[in-house]
Amino acid sequence: MTDLASTEAAAGTALAETDDGTARLHRNLFVAIAALLVIAPFVAYPVFVMKVLCFALFALAFNLLLGYGGLLSFGHAAYFGMASYVSAYTAKNWGLTPELAILLGTAVAALLGTVFGALAIRRQGIYFAMITLALAQMVFFFSLQAPRFTGGEDGIQAVPRGKLFGLVSLADDRALYWLVAAIFMGGLLLIYRIIHSPFGQVCKAIRDNEPRAISLGYRANRYKLMVFVLSAALAGLAGATKAIVFQLASLTDVYWTMSGEVVLMTLVGGLGTVFGPIVGAAVIVAMQNYLATFGAWVTVIQGVIFVACVLLFREGIVGVIARAIRKPL
Amino acid sequence: MPEDIILSTSGLTKEFAGFTAVNGVDLKVKRGSIHALIGPNGAGKTTCFNLLTKFLPPTRGTIIYNGRDITGEKPAEIARLGMVRSFQISAVFPQLSVLTNVRIALQRRKRGDSFDFWRSERSLKVLDAEARHLVEAVGLTPFLDLTAGELSYGRKRALEIATTLALEPEMLLLDEPMAGMGREDIERIEALIRKVSADRTILMVEHNLSVVASLCDRITVLARGQVLAEGDYATVSKDPRVVEAYIGSGGGHGHH
């Protein structure tokens, strides 16, 4: 009995330590990310960094759904792309200020996510994934067939960056960078909070064992829809921001390859890790940028990296590190 | 005085593409009893179980729980009414810690729904003491910080019971709680079931007849989807039809 009691005490403190240790580690990582964000525009090309940040936010949103909700969406381009169209269109044709254009794009993505999510969560596994893909393809065809809104093959070009709150001009890359960095950091912190909230706990339980969660009295579908909408909205936030950064919204943003790319980024970085998608997005975007001279070979190289990733380290870059230091990242 | 029935079915039937797994079962479970559902392999016990907990919709028949027709309810609602099931294969949340597994259930009972994604999980710390208490009751305290997936099979089942008890259910439905367990685990779980049955009703599907004999007040024997016999262990075990069903089926589950 004393034996048990002492083991008990040891286990209790071990738990407290790991909990606190993990929280401290994460806090330090957030500080490090913030510091990197401050330094980045001075050492790298700001537009490149902004591109990484937009895609990192997109991958974070996707990872929220798959890594913590257990739902594989093959149609996340729909929310990213539609938000990008809405934000580009309203900034250019309605003369909305950038923050309003981005907010409106995000809201439309959330709305689209509510409708698509409600349809898709009726099925599970691969059927769920196929429904999300099919619905996203419908959005693509709509974008192709509605040139008055989307500009068709040309997309919406020369989107004005405008003035933040109607006051601060964002024409300068550095000025715009701070807005994008703030949006990224806000999105990251929000996702971190969602994962570590009472809601996040239930999502993880449903991801682990849905019938059991239901048998405990949780209406699983409502949680799945909620996490789907949150993920779609955050993907929309990323897409809407991207449209302002590149002053362009195009069919590429709603095409299925965009849905594939976000899967790739998440898997390379580390599915189900908080920070993995950021690393994954940075790796993939950097590859696309620096290997651009290889032309079509970029896709081949990407494919090879993907295969290598799946074969050699399934947990992704950050997943492997997390295992090595025995702490969730 | 009429018997106090907590759960009853009438004409409960489930057909799968021409095959009738459960056929016109009338079942009455007395409040406060430990009731067993036994029968040879393929008798329809698990199907029956899934019908009662609404994981399967019945083809025909009605289910009454606490005087309320629950035939059309969804599984999550059944749990909210106080009738909680376990699963044949131990059902835990493998990537969550032992403490969190139990806390998830407490979270449902104490806070209802948790759609608050903006709040820190620190707000759940108030549940930790009670969760620890429940974990201690099933002897898992030394494993609090392990993830449930790392536990041995018997301990997973103990964790599952702790999680179920966290809901303070009025009625427990246990699907083969002893399946795949060693003798020591069986004794521990048996004692645990006896302990928790004090102020609850338990309906269990179980193959281990010695467990059924020592635990259960009332036994319903199913064979080919129908009720073959009902009564206490002494009555049922002497019933020639029951003996015939067990031995005649050639199943390996008739032994003690």
Side-chain angles (χ1 to χ4, degrees):
Chain A
M1 202 55 216
T2 32
D3 203 39
L4 186 68
S6 60
T7 334
E8 201 176 298
T13 46
L15 175 70
E17 268 169 24
T18 39
D19 258 11
D20 285 354
T22 306
R24 205 178 316 122
L25 176 65
H26 287 180
R27 204 161 43 238
N28 291 343
L29 278 168
F30 278 116
V31 172
I33 290 170
L36 269 175
L37 285 177
V38 172
I39 303 166
F42 301 102
V43 293
Y45 183 46
V47 174
F48 168 74
V49 184
M50 286 191 277
K51 187 177 180 188
V52 169
L53 293 181
C54 288
F55 279 102
L57 185 57
F58 186 25
L60 282 165
F62 175 80
N63 182 49
L64 172 67
L65 187 63
L66 178 57
Y68 296 94
L71 297 168
L72 172 58
S73 159
F74 266 135
H76 251 44
Y79 318 111
F80 184 80
M82 188 50 88
S84 136
Y85 275 130
V86 168
S87 133
Y89 186 88
T90 55
K92 188 174 178 179
N93 296 343
W94 297 359
L96 286 192
T97 50
E99 77 284 353
L100 285 180
I102 290 172
L103 275 179
L104 201 61
T106 308
V108 169
L111 204 67
L112 199 62
T114 312
V115 177
F116 286 7
L119 290 169
I121 56 164
R122 292 155 171 267
R123 292 288 175 269
Q124 302 188 332
I126 192 70
Y127 302 102
F128 173 88
M130 289 297 121
I131 291 170
T132 56
L133 174 61
L135 292 170
Q137 283 302 89
M138 283 167 55
V139 171
F140 172 74
F141 284 114
F142 164 79
S143 308
L144 191 63
Q145 300 298 329
R148 275 160 161 257
F149 168 55
T150 63
E153 300 272 4
D154 296 333
I156 305 174
Q157 298 180 8
V159 177
R161 284 182 177 177
K163 290 180 175 171
L164 185 63
F165 305 119
L167 299 169
V168 190
S169 168
L170 297 177
D172 180 49
D173 283 347
R174 289 271 171 82
L176 181 62
Y177 174 82
W178 298 118
L179 174 67
V180 175
I183 289 174
F184 167 81
M185 202 64 194
L188 173 62
L189 287 169
L190 175 62
I191 287 170
Y192 188 80
R193 173 43 65 87
I194 294 171
I195 293 168
H196 295 94
S197 69
F199 169 74
Q201 290 288 349
V202 178
C203 286
K204 284 181 249 180
I206 293 171
R207 169 199 70 190
D208 273 14
N209 192 339
E210 187 175 340
R212 179 55 173 164
I214 292 172
S215 84
L216 294 181
Y218 285 112
R219 294 154 176 147
N221 275 353
R222 297 191 190 177
Y223 288 86
K224 282 156 79 173
L225 180 59
M226 179 87 148
V227 75
F228 195 94
V229 172
L230 285 169
S231 173
L234 286 157
L237 178 62
T241 309
K242 204 217 95 179
I244 299 293
V245 170
F246 288 97
Q247 306 182 275
L248 171 76
S250 73
L251 285 173
T252 319
D253 300 339
V254 278
Y255 199 43
W256 64 269
T257 50
M258 186 60 81
S259 300
E261 227 157 74
V262 76
V263 178
L264 181 67
M265 288 172 185
T266 307
L267 290 182
V268 167
L271 175 68
T273 63
V274 178
F275 302 98
I278 305 172
V279 177
V283 169
I284 301 293
V285 173
M287 261 172 40
Q288 287 170 348
N289 257 44
Y290 294 112
L291 303 180
T293 45
F294 292 97
W297 285 97
V298 175
T299 323
V300 177
I301 297 169
Q302 255 184 38
V304 170
I305 290 186
F306 182 61
V307 170
C309 228
V310 170
L311 291 178
L312 301 176
F313 49 106
R314 282 182 187 211
E315 299 136 306
I317 299 167
V318 173
V320 168
I321 298 172
R323 192 147 64 125
I325 63 169
R326 295 170 160 278
K327 281 205 164 78
L329 283 175
Chain B
M1 188 185 136
E3 281 186 318
D4 186 6
I5 303 299
I6 183 165
L7 179 73
S8 68
T9 70
S10 61
L12 197 61
T13 302
K14 179 69 189 177
E15 288 164 2
F16 295 105
F19 166 71
T20 309
V22 172
N23 190 0
V25 167
D26 297 324
L27 191 70
K28 281 190 170 55
V29 180
K30 247 169 71 178
R31 190 182 304 279
S33 66
I34 305 185
H35 195 123
L37 207 54
I38 65 168
N41 270 341
K45 304 181 295 292
T46 295
T47 307
C48 199
F49 205 81
N50 284 331
L51 290 173
L52 291 175
T53 50
K54 308 308 304 163
F55 274 71
L56 280 175
T59 313
R60 274 187 299 283
T62 52
I63 306 168
I64 310 284
Y65 173 70
N66 265 338
R68 174 176 173 167
D69 188 338
I70 58 162
T71 317
E73 291 286 1
K74 290 201 167 73
E77 308 310 317
I78 300 297
R80 285 164 181 245
L81 290 171
M83 185 162 102
V84 180
R85 68 167 294 176
S86 74
F87 291 83
Q88 208 172 90
I89 297 154
S90 73
V92 295
F93 303 113
Q95 295 184 56
L96 304 182
S97 74
V98 167
L99 183 76
T100 314
N101 262 269
V102 176
R103 205 175 62 184
I104 284 285
L106 280 177
Q107 196 180 326
R108 224 282 291 132
R109 177 162 66 85
K110 301 250 167 161
R111 320 172 86 233
D113 279 313
S114 295
F115 290 113
D116 41 352
F117 62 82
W118 55 88
R119 202 166 280 143
S120 164
E121 63 186 341
R122 274 193 295 275
S123 59
L124 298 175
K125 285 236 186 278
V126 291
L127 304 173
D128 281 1
E130 193 174 347
R132 283 211 173 84
H133 197 72
L134 284 155
V135 169
E136 197 191 341
V138 295
L140 290 179
T141 303
F143 314 103
L144 262 182
D145 56 339
L146 290 186
T147 61
E150 296 173 271
L151 296 179
S152 72
Y153 185 77
R155 290 190 176 121
K156 276 188 189 137
R157 300 229 63 145
L159 175 60
E160 192 189 342
I161 290 175
T163 307
T164 305
L165 291 178
L167 293 177
E168 293 194 342
E170 193 182 357
M171 178 162 188
L172 277 175
L173 287 97
L174 307 174
D175 193 2
E176 297 192 23
M178 309 299 178
M181 282 198 180
R183 188 179 299 158
E184 271 173 45
D185 281 335
I186 287 181
E187 278 167 18
R188 207 171 62 222
I189 300 293
E190 195 181 321
L192 197 60
I193 291 175
R194 200 187 302 277
K195 196 166 97 187
V196 305
S197 71
D199 44 2
R200 297 195 166 80
T201 310
I202 295 180
L203 175 68
M204 59 196 270
V205 168
E206 185 51 60
H207 275 320
N208 188 319
L209 292 182
S210 65
V211 170
V212 170
S214 73
L215 264 181
C216 301
D217 312 312
R218 202 165 179 82
I219 294 158
T220 300
V221 187
L222 283 183
R224 294 190 203 87
Q226 288 172 304
V227 176
L228 194 64
E230 200 175 300
D232 58 20
Y233 187 79
T235 318
V236 163
S237 61
K238 287 197 191 78
D239 193 309
R241 289 170 305 172
V242 176
V243 177
E244 214 273 327
Y246 266 90
I247 296 167
S249 75
H253 292 290
H255 59 82
H256 280 43

